[in-house]
Amino acid sequence: MEQNTKKPSHFYVVGLNYKKADAETRGKFSLSDQAKQDLMDQANVEGLSSLMAISTCNRTELYGFAEHPFQLISLLCKYSNGTVEDFQRVAYVHKSNEAVSHLFKVGTGMDSQILGDFEIISQVKTGFITAREKGLTNNYFERLVNAVIQASKRIKNETEISTGATSVSFASVQYILNHVPNISEKNILLFGTGKIGRNTCENLVKHTKNNQITLINRTKDKAQKIAGKFNLIVKDYADLQAEIQKADVLIVATGAQNPTIDKELLNLKKPLLILDLSIPKNVNDNVLEIPNVELVHLDTLSQMTDDTLEKRKQYVPQAMEIIEEIKDEFITWTQARKFAPTIHALKAKLEEIKENELKYHKKKIENFDEDQANLITSRIIQKITTHFANHLKHEETEVDESIEWIEKVFQIENLQNE
């Protein structure tokens, strides 16, 4: 009989993230959707049984079964612009239970740059769906991803780790929602198209259900491009003063070096909330000399996000307890799944020995009590198999070695499936 020389495969994660890799290096290893597809096709060609890819602005990771992690590293380098040298400098490799722990932390936002970020779990789900479409998943992988999704849901529902604003643009919207009643009916004016202003605008559209948002920019065509994306009204720069008079909320994100809004420009007939989302400040403090003007600067909103992240830290122990509970259940399942066939086969072998012995003694011993003997030997077999099962469950046991040993000693056919 030909000996199977294929080495056992192990579960690995190989990747890099914001902790050691700067934005430029992360960019090199970034995987486009097409690159992910090509990478998985190649994984199939190379005979890998399962593989999942995750690539965001903060991390790129491959999870999968391989005989050696370099199989995954070489795939990552081949389909990105990263090199093996770059990888060795900034990346990490985790194996088996460490890789499992890493995926739990990633999927629940515990490893995110913004603690408690729940966007990442959707990336994990998408990555798994793509892997399944390519035929690169197995029962182990499916059970693991489902366990991570379950942990993410429980952390979101049972802790407050995801509450509060974690970006200035979202903090701006929260501030407006908290300070302006009936916001969906109010006039909002966005002056300028700076990045934070654009993000705030997107969040406003999403959260206020307001269709009276007006955009003004010095260059009108730039404003029209952004307005088209968010379905906003665009007005000329010359209309700025008139539009400010109509506005209930003014968001300034011009990116100019000197203030673009001051009290001379304001000729107000009603209260006005001004959010200055610019560095340096684009709104002159003299606007506060006008009654009913409230001015909130970027620094205040940034402080809100810092406070939020600080508050989130107190929920980490609670979140980690949930992770440990679900992870332990998963690891217990994987161990039982691995050795259950061997325990069943061992029990069958001992039952076979028992039957032969009972037949032998039945012939030899007069008035042999077969029922009594059957009861005693069945209990002995149960105790022996329980001892073996407890040994295989123990966290320090080398399960593969022990299974091989049991199979040799009891002459049980090799039952392990990769």
Side-chain angles (χ1 to χ4, degrees):
M1 187 177 160
E2 190 184 322
Q3 193 177 359
N4 183 6
T5 54
K6 187 174 186 259
K7 291 179 186 172
S9 59
H10 297 281
F11 184 60
Y12 288 102
V13 55
V14 305
L16 61 147
N17 62 24
Y18 66 93
K19 291 177 184 174
K20 274 180 79 176
D22 57 27
E24 188 186 349
T25 308
R26 295 199 305 275
K28 283 183 191 173
F29 283 95
S30 182
L31 294 168
S32 66
D33 288 343
Q34 188 57 52
K36 285 181 197 170
Q37 299 280 340
D38 295 342
L39 185 152
M40 289 184 166
D41 288 340
Q42 183 60 29
N44 269 318
V45 169
E46 292 179 18
L48 294 180
S49 64
S50 49
L51 182 73
M52 176 173 78
I54 294 172
S55 189
T56 70
C57 56
N58 281 331
R59 73 180 64 246
T60 298
E61 296 177 332
L62 296 183
Y63 294 84
F65 281 87
E67 289 174 23
H68 192 280
F70 193 72
Q71 291 171 281
L72 303 183
I73 296 165
S74 59
L75 279 171
L76 176 57
C77 294
K78 185 175 180 179
Y79 290 95
S80 71
N81 295 317
T83 63
V84 173
E85 290 73 27
D86 282 335
F87 183 90
Q88 286 171 329
R89 190 168 48 82
V90 298
Y92 42 82
V93 174
H94 300 306
K95 178 182 175 184
S96 302
N97 286 353
E98 279 186 17
V100 167
S101 294
H102 185 76
L103 182 56
F104 268 97
K105 282 183 188 164
V106 169
T108 54
M110 294 295 107
D111 195 58
S112 295
Q113 193 163 20
I114 294 174
L115 178 66
D117 171 24
F118 278 101
E119 292 299 313
I120 189 69
I121 194 65
S122 62
Q123 303 275 357
V124 173
K125 288 176 188 173
T126 305
F128 181 75
I129 289 163
T130 306
R132 191 163 55 194
E133 284 166 359
K134 292 285 182 183
L136 283 167
T137 59
N138 55 22
N139 288 342
Y140 176 97
F141 222 149
E142 184 146 4
R143 182 103 175 200
L144 171 58
V145 170
N146 282 334
V148 172
I149 292 167
Q150 185 194 351
S152 173
K153 278 181 186 166
R154 277 191 54 192
I155 289 167
K156 197 170 188 178
N157 294 335
E158 295 173 29
T159 77
E160 291 179 46
I161 206 159
S162 63
T163 54
T166 53
S167 69
V168 169
S169 57
F170 191 60
S172 310
V173 176
Q174 277 208 331
Y175 190 90
I176 292 167
L177 290 171
N178 291 338
H179 291 81
V180 182
N182 307 317
I183 188 64
S184 60
E185 297 157 23
K186 298 294 167 89
N187 294 323
I188 301 171
L189 173 62
L190 175 63
F191 177 40
T193 54
K195 188 184 175 189
I196 293 173
R198 291 198 307 275
N199 290 346
T200 301
C201 198
E202 188 171 5
N203 277 316
L204 277 170
V205 171
K206 197 187 294 182
H207 297 288
T208 64
K209 309 286 184 282
N210 188 313
N211 57 4
Q212 300 163 90
I213 301 173
T214 303
L215 174 59
I216 293 178
N217 195 52
R218 283 179 193 272
T219 18
K220 195 173 181 182
D221 61 339
K222 202 172 180 185
Q224 281 167 331
K225 272 185 195 169
I226 292 163
K229 188 181 174 188
F230 301 129
N231 196 23
L232 312 178
I233 304 154
V234 177
K235 290 288 174 86
D236 291 322
Y237 178 59
D239 297 327
L240 181 62
Q241 191 168 24
E243 290 301 320
I244 289 173
Q245 281 187 344
K246 293 182 201 169
D248 298 289
V249 179
L250 169 63
I251 299 162
V252 183
T254 53
Q257 289 307 300
N258 297 304
T260 51
I261 302 287
D262 63 20
K263 73 171 186 177
E264 308 304 324
L265 193 63
L266 307 185
N267 183 16
L268 304 181
K269 297 180 173 66
K270 60 178 177 177
L272 179 66
L273 167 63
I274 305 175
L275 269 65
D276 185 0
L277 307 183
S278 315
I279 296 174
K281 290 181 180 183
N282 279 194
V283 179
N284 194 318
D285 285 343
N286 66 16
V287 298
L288 291 169
E289 295 168 20
I290 300 171
N292 293 325
V293 168
E294 184 186 354
L295 173 61
V296 179
H297 188 252
L298 186 72
D299 292 343
T300 307
L301 298 165
S302 297
Q303 186 58 50
M304 281 171 68
T305 68
D306 291 343
D307 290 349
T308 292
L309 292 173
E310 205 51 47
K311 278 178 195 162
R312 285 187 175 194
K313 285 178 186 172
Q314 67 183 298
Y315 301 108
V316 169
Q318 197 184 346
M320 290 308 294
E321 268 182 37
I322 293 168
I323 288 172
E324 287 306 312
E325 182 189 327
I326 296 172
K327 188 181 76 178
D328 287 350
E329 283 171 13
F330 172 75
I331 288 168
T332 302
W333 172 82
T334 60
Q335 287 174 329
R337 173 176 172 262
K338 201 168 198 177
F339 63 69
T342 302
I343 293 295
H344 288 313
L346 171 62
K347 194 168 185 179
K349 188 75 176 181
L350 294 174
E351 289 286 350
E352 187 189 317
I353 293 167
K354 177 187 93 167
E355 290 303 323
N356 290 335
E357 283 300 305
L358 290 180
K359 275 179 194 171
Y360 174 80
H361 288 292
K362 201 170 161 184
K363 286 175 188 173
K364 290 280 180 186
I365 301 170
E366 205 177 328
N367 300 323
F368 178 65
D369 190 340
E370 191 177 350
D371 289 342
Q372 192 71 21
N374 192 37
L375 182 69
I376 294 165
T377 48
S378 291
R379 282 176 63 84
I380 292 168
I381 287 171
Q382 186 58 46
K383 287 184 186 298
I384 291 168
T385 51
T386 301
H387 272 284
F388 276 104
N390 287 340
H391 164 73
L392 291 167
K393 279 179 192 172
H394 198 277
E395 59 183 27
E396 289 177 16
T397 299
E398 282 288 343
V399 177
D400 290 336
E401 277 181 28
S402 292
I403 287 173
E404 194 180 340
W405 177 81
I406 293 165
E407 286 169 352
K408 272 183 186 170
V409 170
F410 291 95
Q411 297 173 325
I412 299 165
E413 193 182 329
N414 189 307
L415 298 156
Q416 289 189 76
N417 295 314
E418 278 305 329

